[in-house]
């Protein structure tokens, strides 16, 4: 089963609003990643975080690797309709090992 | 193309039939992973290869599931005597194995095979 607790499960927001979602774990991970998945497609990597405390941005997306190595959050600023999709957090203990995923946050953006 | 390629995109089989799902990783990617994604859930790890060596198969749900990567490139996930609970999207991901500063390399996913067992 899922080892990561991701919240919220779903969000309905207006275009232009900021979004925040997070992920927690009872275990330590050495890498945190955030993926976006559109219907019928595979997950696409958004941001990868490799160091506790690291804050990384990719355009309107910002993600942080928690100091305890047991949590991460993703913020999306000024949302647009194409942000719609399911966002997954994933934790990885060692490089080149399998990832453990959260159950996803389904984002709906109303124009 | 440059990405991970999976085939077929959709597979419908009757309960009890055997199925084979193919994954073509990104060229040069040494690591290859298979995940199973149930409806409304995140992907769950099945198995991992580094080159042709299957280093971890702890996620395979039963001995009906078998994966191989004989030449260290293309991989096949085989499911024997399929059951209805095998219905899911099967995702393949690959990554480059780096050294030192480049040791952290993220996994890149294909679009998956949607398997439906009737």
């Amino acid at each position: 089963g899922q080892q990561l607790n991701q919240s919220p499960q779903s969000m309905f927001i207006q275009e232009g609003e900021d979004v925040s979602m997070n992920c927690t774990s009872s275990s330590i991970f050495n890498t945190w990643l955030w993926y976006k998945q559109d219907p019928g497609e595979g997950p696409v990597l958004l941001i990868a975080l490799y160091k506790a405390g690291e804050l990384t941005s990719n355009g309107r997306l910002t993600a942080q690797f928690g100091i305890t190595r047991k949590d991460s959050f993703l913020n999306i600023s000024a949302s647009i309709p194409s942000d719609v999709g399911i966002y997954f957090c994933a934790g990885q203990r060692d490089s080149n090992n399998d990832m453990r995923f959260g159950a996803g946050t389904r984002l709906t953006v109303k124009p | 193309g440059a990405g991970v390629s999976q085939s077929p995109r959709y597979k419908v089989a009757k309960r009890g039939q055997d199925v084979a799902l193919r994954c073509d990783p990104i060229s040069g990617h040494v690591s290859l992973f298979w995940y199973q994604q149930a409806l409304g859930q995140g992907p769950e790890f099945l198995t991992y290869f580094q080159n042709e060596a299957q280093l971890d198969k702890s996620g395979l749900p039963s001995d009906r599931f078998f994966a191989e990567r004989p030449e260290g490139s293309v991989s096949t996930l085989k499911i024997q005597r399929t059951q209805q609970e095998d219905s899911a999207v099967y995702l393949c991901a690959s990554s480059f194995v780096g050294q030192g500063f480049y040791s952290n390399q993220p996994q890149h996913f294909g679009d998956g095979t949607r398997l439906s067992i009737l």
Side-chain angles (χ1 to χ4, degrees), chain A residues 11-17 19 78-85 107-111:
Chain A
M11 301 184 76
F12 295 82
I13 61 169
Q14 286 292 140
E15 183 177 357
E17 288 183 354
V19 171
S79 57
I80 59 178
S82 62
D83 291 335
V84 165
L107 179 65
T108 303
V109 180
K110 292 181 267 188

Side-chain angles (χ1 to χ4, degrees), chain B residues 19-72:
Chain B
V19 298
L21 314 179
R22 177 188 166 106
C23 173
D24 250 297
I26 293 172
S27 177
H29 278 196
V30 168
S31 295
L32 186 147
F33 302 80
W34 283 98
Y35 292 83
Q36 181 189 59
Q37 186 176 23
L39 192 64
Q41 297 295 316
E44 291 206 13
F45 169 75
L46 294 176
T47 186
Y48 159 53
F49 290 85
Q50 192 166 111
N51 294 305
E52 67 279 2
Q54 189 174 19
L55 298 186
D56 187 348
K57 51 182 181 179
S58 62
L60 295 176
S62 77
D63 59 8
R64 296 186 296 103
F65 285 70
F66 172 75
E68 60 184 6
R69 194 185 184 198
E71 295 175 4

Side-chain angles (χ1 to χ4, degrees), chain B residues 85-100:
Chain B
E85 63 263 26
D86 299 336
S87 297
V89 175
Y90 290 85
L91 294 164
C92 176
S94 70
S95 68
F96 177 71
V97 174
Q99 299 292 330

Side-chain angles (χ1 to χ4, degrees), chain B residues 7-21:
Chain B
S7 60
R9 286 297 315 274
Y10 303 92
K11 176 71 180 176
V12 180
K14 289 184 180 176
R15 188 164 59 92
Q17 286 183 330
D18 298 348
V19 298
L21 314 179

